[in-house]
Amino acid sequence: MQLRVVAINDGAQGVRVLRLARSDGADLPEWEPGAHLEVTLPGGLRRHYSLCGSRADGQEWTIGVLREERSRGGSSYLHDGVEVGRELTVTGVRNLFPLVPADEYVFIAGGIGITPLLPMIETAEAAGSDWHLFYGGRRRASMAFLERLEPYGERVTVAPADECGRIDLGAALAAAPRRALVYACGPGPLLSSLEEEATAAGLELHVERFTAAPLPASVQNATFEVQLAQTGVTLEVPADRSIVEVLEDNGIGVPSSCQEGVCGTCETKVLQGTPDHRDSILSDEERRAGNTMMICVGRSRSSRLVLDL
């Protein structure tokens, strides 16, 4: 799908907000809170950005792009190489972070992690749910979309680290209703700490990560085989290569993007064998079922995997 950039704004220091629309003015597909958009950039780069506009606006999609200090080309291009009128190639919305209906929520955002939570808050407010947002960042000037949160008043706690330190996650969850669902997005250290606090508080936690969760130091890679069911080809995956890399080495192209198991682009059906899941997407139930895996990071607990490729 080709979408035109119809407006660009500075959401905060280091954050660019792009509004996208069809050139013919037609409505865009509907989407649900938590959905993200895949943008294809020059050189074949694919990057994912959460939709953060209002779902009531059927003609525009909005994304917020943080300028990454160690950009691999995605954020720098969208900050420096895109102007109003430029067309971008995007893939339709995908939602790996859906909002489960509930009467009570706690939302926790770190930095640009506010983007997927904005439409969730809008939806929770419209449904009459009780909710509170804890929004942390390095400094107020770098925290995007503060003006959109102002109308919610005391439902929002803004915590710039240079003014008041980091969010007290323990206190935030201790004050939450026992039936509240916790939704969080932000840097890895924030989410890792939050997982511990949510477990201790007995609260149900839903997270979306920018990067993969760290693996235990004890994890080791072993060589295994992958059989491609559609062709019968069998390939060896050595300890120092991923399934995606081995496929590409053998001229077999598969959709992939993040290479970290956080975007879901490479999700592949498993027909036989036991996957070693190392992504940050699948639920515990999906991991136990072993019906799909993210082949950019996942490996095998059995000597062979048969994939639907």
Side-chain angles (χ1 to χ4, degrees), residues 101-103 105 121-130:
D103 294 328
Y105 297 99
I121 289 169
E122 182 181 79
T123 299
E125 181 73 5
S129 300
D130 185 18

Side-chain angles (χ1 to χ4, degrees), residues 10 69 99 104 122 170 175 185 187 221 226 235 246 250 263 279 289 295-296:
D10 290 329
E69 294 179 1
L99 181 68
E104 297 160 324
E122 182 181 79
C185 183
N221 291 346
V226 167
L235 301 170
V246 169
N250 287 272
C263 75
D279 62 274
I295 59 174
C296 67

Side-chain angles (χ1 to χ4, degrees), residues 18-42:
L18 283 69
R19 288 163 42 203
L20 312 173
R22 290 180 48 147
S23 297
D24 59 8
D27 285 346
L28 292 166
E30 294 183 357
W31 54 280
E32 297 297 324
H36 66 243
L37 192 68
E38 181 181 85
V39 182
T40 301
L41 304 173

Side-chain angles (χ1 to χ4, degrees), residues 30-279:
E30 294 183 357
W31 54 280
E32 297 297 324
H36 66 243
L37 192 68
E38 181 181 85
V39 182
T40 301
L41 304 173
L45 289 173
R46 293 189 179 102
R47 295 293 180 263
H48 297 83
Y49 300 98
S50 296
L51 290 173
C52 57
S54 173
R55 294 172 58 235
D57 187 346
Q59 294 190 318
E60 290 184 2
W61 283 344
T62 300
I63 58 174
V65 182
L66 173 68
R67 182 188 288 276
E68 299 283 356
E69 294 179 1
R70 299 179 180 178
S71 173
R72 291 178 294 175
S75 70
S76 60
Y77 175 76
L78 291 175
H79 272 258
D80 302 327
V82 172
E83 300 176 348
V84 172
R86 177 69 58 88
E87 287 198 341
L88 298 177
T89 300
V90 306
T91 302
V93 294
R94 183 173 185 176
N95 198 346
L96 302 173
F97 190 40
L99 181 68
V100 177
D103 294 328
E104 297 160 324
Y105 297 99
V106 176
F107 298 110
I108 299 177
I112 198 63
I114 188 63
T115 50
L117 302 185
L118 289 171
M120 293 186 179
I121 289 169
E122 182 181 79
T123 299
E125 181 73 5
S129 300
D130 185 18
W131 62 271
H132 195 97
L133 167 69
F134 295 88
Y135 180 15
R138 293 182 179 178
R139 57 190 181 280
R140 192 176 297 270
S142 68
M143 298 173 68
F145 303 108
L146 289 177
E147 74 287 349
R148 280 182 58 179
L149 298 170
E150 287 179 359
Y152 297 124
E154 295 183 354
R155 286 181 178 267
V156 176
T157 297
V158 176
D162 63 344
E163 296 179 19
C164 52
R166 297 180 178 178
I167 300 171
D168 187 338
L169 298 175
L173 298 188
R178 294 303 88 190
R179 296 181 301 169
L181 302 186
V182 183
Y183 277 79
C185 183
L190 169 71
L191 299 183
S192 296
S193 297
L194 185 57
E195 287 172 343
E196 296 178 5
E197 296 289 352
T199 299
L203 293 171
E204 182 178 328
L205 175 65
H206 302 256
V207 303
E208 183 169 63
R209 292 181 175 272
F210 301 148
T211 58
L215 293 172
S218 60
V219 169
Q220 295 183 349
N221 291 346
T223 298
F224 61 96
E225 291 184 340
V226 167
Q227 181 177 341
L228 311 184
Q230 296 177 20
T231 62
V233 171
T234 298
L235 301 170
E236 182 179 88
V237 181
D240 62 346
R241 303 289 284 172
S242 70
I243 297 175
V244 164
E245 289 172 333
V246 169
L247 293 176
E248 292 177 346
D249 290 346
N250 287 272
I252 303 169
V254 293
S256 65
S257 178
C258 69
Q259 303 297 323
E260 294 185 349
V262 296
C263 75
T265 302
C266 69
E267 184 171 5
T268 301
K269 187 175 181 180
V270 178
L271 301 179
Q272 291 181 31
T274 305
D276 180 2
H277 297 290
R278 301 186 181 185
D279 62 274

